[in-house]
């Protein structure tokens, strides 16, 4: 009864075209932000930060980036793990080369470097698409992992081949290193996610986003009406890679603290983020959040229910997770290609019309 548009009048085009035109939606999202910023930092502990909240925030940034490329522009990519590795290693080199510069600037610059690399690997999209573009980005994934493994300069000639994040501070509070508090890890990732989500939402609703969607829907027709495919595709690769690079930098510096490229950014990472946007919903910012939340919470929930409560062996639970994810991917690809985001939209439509028949 409270989710209605009756009486919610708009007096300008900007008010009618805002992201959340229904007042209840605006209040709900402000309430979510208030809880995220004003409640969770005071109650979060190390387990909740490292098991759920911090990986969810980082994967949500990566999912937003991949969704811009795949969901909005229609360019298939299997190189997400490699681009996350570019962000991680760029952040590491910047942190060690410029120790007096703020870590926030390092993460942003790492995203910029990844954007340049992503645009370079996006050049084949001007000639190929579909399966062939997926193979080209898959080649980028393996090439980048091989490069960071073989060129010792990237990991500062360390004997172990690992990169370790030195301790860095924001406003006097450590956000990387062994002395980082869980709330500090959570807050810096939350700030980056909030900014990235706002930027992505505005980009996809603007002129650039419309050119991406025109290329996705029918590239030949888009070119005929004046859309520049070179600019549209390369900008999609660059913006997508920027977000993915930021997530890779945070994944290394804030979340793990020490990584080895083959283990942390292998091909499984690319498929994990791709599964997030398939389950969450292609072409939807909310779907990126939903898919990331689902695939981060699922293994934790299965462990609590299967191992702790039912006493199942750990290997059975891990295989059950793969079965559930695979079944959901087939279900959404066949029955609901727009994923959880579309189910959420349908639920809201039913709520707006309730108790009348739909």
């Amino acid at each position: 009864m409270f989710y209605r548009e009756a009486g919610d009048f708009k007096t300008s085009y900007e008010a009618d075209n805002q992201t959340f035109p229904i007042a209840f939606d605006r209040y709900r999202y402000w309430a979510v932000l208030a809880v995220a910023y004003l409640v969770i930092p005071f109650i979060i502990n190390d387990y909740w930060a490292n098991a759920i909240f911090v990986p969810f925030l980082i994967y949500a940034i990566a999912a937003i980036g991949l969704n811009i490329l795949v969901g909005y522009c229609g360019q298939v990519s299997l190189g997400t793990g490699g681009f996350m590795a570019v962000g991680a290693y760029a952040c590491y080199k910047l942190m060690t080369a410029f120790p007096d510069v703020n870590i926030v600037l390092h993460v942003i610059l790492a995203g910029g470097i990844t954007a340049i690399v992503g645009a370079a690997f996006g050049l084949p999209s001007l000639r190929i698409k579909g399966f062939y573009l997926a193979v080209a980005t898959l080649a980028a994934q393996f090439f980048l992992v091989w490069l960071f493994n073989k060129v010792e300069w990237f990991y500062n000639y360390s004997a172990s081949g690992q990169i370790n994040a030195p301790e860095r501070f924001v406003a006097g509070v450590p956000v990387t290193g062994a002395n980082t508090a869980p709330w500090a890890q959570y807050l810096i990732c939350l700030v980056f996610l909030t900014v990235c989500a706002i930027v992505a939402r505005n980009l996809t609703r603007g002129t650039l986003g419309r050119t991406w969607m025109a290329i996705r829907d029918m590239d030949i027709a888009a070119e005929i009406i004046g859309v520049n495919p070179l600019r549209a595709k390369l900008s999609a690769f660059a913006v997508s890679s920027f977000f993915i690079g930021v997530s890779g930098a945070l994944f290394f510096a804030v979340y793990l603290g020490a990584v080895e490229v083959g283990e942390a950014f292998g091909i499984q990472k690319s498929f994990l983020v791709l599964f997030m946007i398939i389950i969450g919903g292609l072409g939807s910012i909310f779907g990126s959040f939903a898919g990331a939340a689902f695939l981060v919470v699922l293994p934790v929930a299965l462990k609590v229910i299967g191992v702790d409560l039912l006493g199942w062996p750990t290997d059975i639970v891990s295989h059950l997770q793969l079965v559930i994810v695979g079944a959901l991917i087939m279900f959404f690809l066949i029955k609901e290609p727009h994923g959880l985001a579309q189910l959420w939209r349908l639920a809201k439509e039913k709520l707006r019309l309730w108790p009348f028949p739909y």
Side-chain angles (χ1 to χ4, degrees):
M1 298 297 293
F2 49 83
Y3 192 57
R4 292 289 186 271
E5 295 179 69
D8 193 1
F9 300 108
K10 307 295 187 301
T11 57
S12 66
Y13 175 78
E14 283 132 5
D16 189 51
N17 200 42
Q18 59 188 320
T19 302
F20 305 114
I22 301 177
F24 179 77
D25 282 337
R26 293 196 298 274
Y27 301 149
R28 176 165 51 88
Y29 278 92
W30 279 116
V32 169
L33 285 176
V35 172
Y37 277 96
L38 303 178
V39 177
I40 294 179
F42 295 98
I43 63 175
I44 195 171
N45 57 27
D46 190 66
Y47 172 77
W48 284 98
N50 289 290
I52 295 180
F53 284 108
V54 174
F56 158 68
L57 297 173
I58 294 173
Y59 281 127
I61 298 174
I64 289 173
L66 187 60
N67 218 336
I68 286 175
L69 184 62
V70 180
Y72 284 97
C73 196
Q75 308 302 301
V76 183
S77 174
L78 295 177
T80 308
F83 295 132
M84 288 182 70
V86 173
Y89 277 79
C91 183
Y92 171 70
K93 293 299 293 185
L94 290 169
M95 291 174 71
T96 53
F98 306 100
D100 297 329
V101 178
N102 193 286
I103 179 65
V104 174
L105 185 59
H106 285 153
V107 173
I108 296 173
L109 289 175
I113 294 171
T114 311
I116 296 173
V117 175
F121 280 105
L123 288 173
S125 67
L126 303 177
R127 293 291 183 182
I128 58 178
K129 58 184 178 181
F131 171 77
Y132 300 100
L133 180 59
V135 172
T137 55
L138 186 63
Q141 162 73 38
F142 288 117
F143 171 75
L144 290 171
V145 171
W146 171 86
L147 182 68
F148 293 130
N149 261 327
K150 293 300 181 182
V151 181
E152 298 179 352
W153 177 81
F154 286 112
Y155 50 86
N156 286 349
Y157 306 97
S158 170
S160 63
Q162 282 190 340
I163 55 174
N164 298 278
E167 190 173 52
R168 294 293 182 266
F169 299 84
V170 173
V173 178
V175 294
T176 65
N179 297 321
T180 306
W183 64 266
Q185 287 180 300
Y186 167 79
L187 272 182
I188 189 171
C189 293
L190 179 62
V191 170
F192 271 104
L193 175 60
T194 304
V195 174
C196 288
I198 293 172
V199 170
R201 180 65 176 173
N202 283 279
L203 283 175
T204 54
R205 283 164 52 89
T207 304
L208 188 58
R210 295 179 189 278
T211 62
W212 293 339
M213 289 183 277
I215 291 292
R216 174 196 65 190
D217 294 337
M218 189 173 290
D219 53 352
I220 297 176
E223 188 174 2
I224 291 173
I225 64 174
V227 174
N228 187 338
L230 171 65
R231 179 187 175 191
K233 292 181 179 181
L234 291 189
S235 63
F237 268 96
V239 174
S240 169
S241 299
F242 175 83
F243 289 129
I244 294 172
V246 168
S247 69
L250 293 174
F251 191 78
F252 150 67
V254 178
Y255 180 44
L256 294 181
V259 299
E260 195 277 322
V261 63
E263 297 178 0
F265 302 111
I267 184 63
Q268 66 274 11
K269 193 70 67 182
S270 299
F271 282 112
L272 177 63
V273 181
L274 182 62
F275 294 160
M276 287 178 181
I277 65 172
I278 291 175
I279 293 175
L282 294 171
S284 169
I285 301 299
F286 172 77
S288 304
F289 283 88
F294 181 83
L295 286 184
V296 168
V297 172
L298 177 63
V300 178
L302 287 178
K303 178 183 178 300
V304 171
I305 296 173
V307 177
D308 299 340
L309 295 181
L310 301 179
W312 293 350
T314 305
D315 57 341
I316 297 295
V317 174
S318 62
H319 284 87
L320 181 62
Q321 175 189 342
L322 298 176
V323 171
I324 292 174
V325 172
L328 285 174
I329 289 172
M330 290 189 291
F331 169 79
F332 282 117
L333 288 177
I334 296 171
K335 291 293 187 181
E336 189 49 77
H338 295 289
L340 294 173
Q342 179 64 12
L343 298 181
W344 175 244
R345 280 192 290 266
L346 293 175
K348 290 200 298 182
E349 289 298 324
K350 292 180 182 294
L351 184 60
R352 288 164 68 182
L353 293 174
W354 186 85
F356 303 104
Y358 184 71

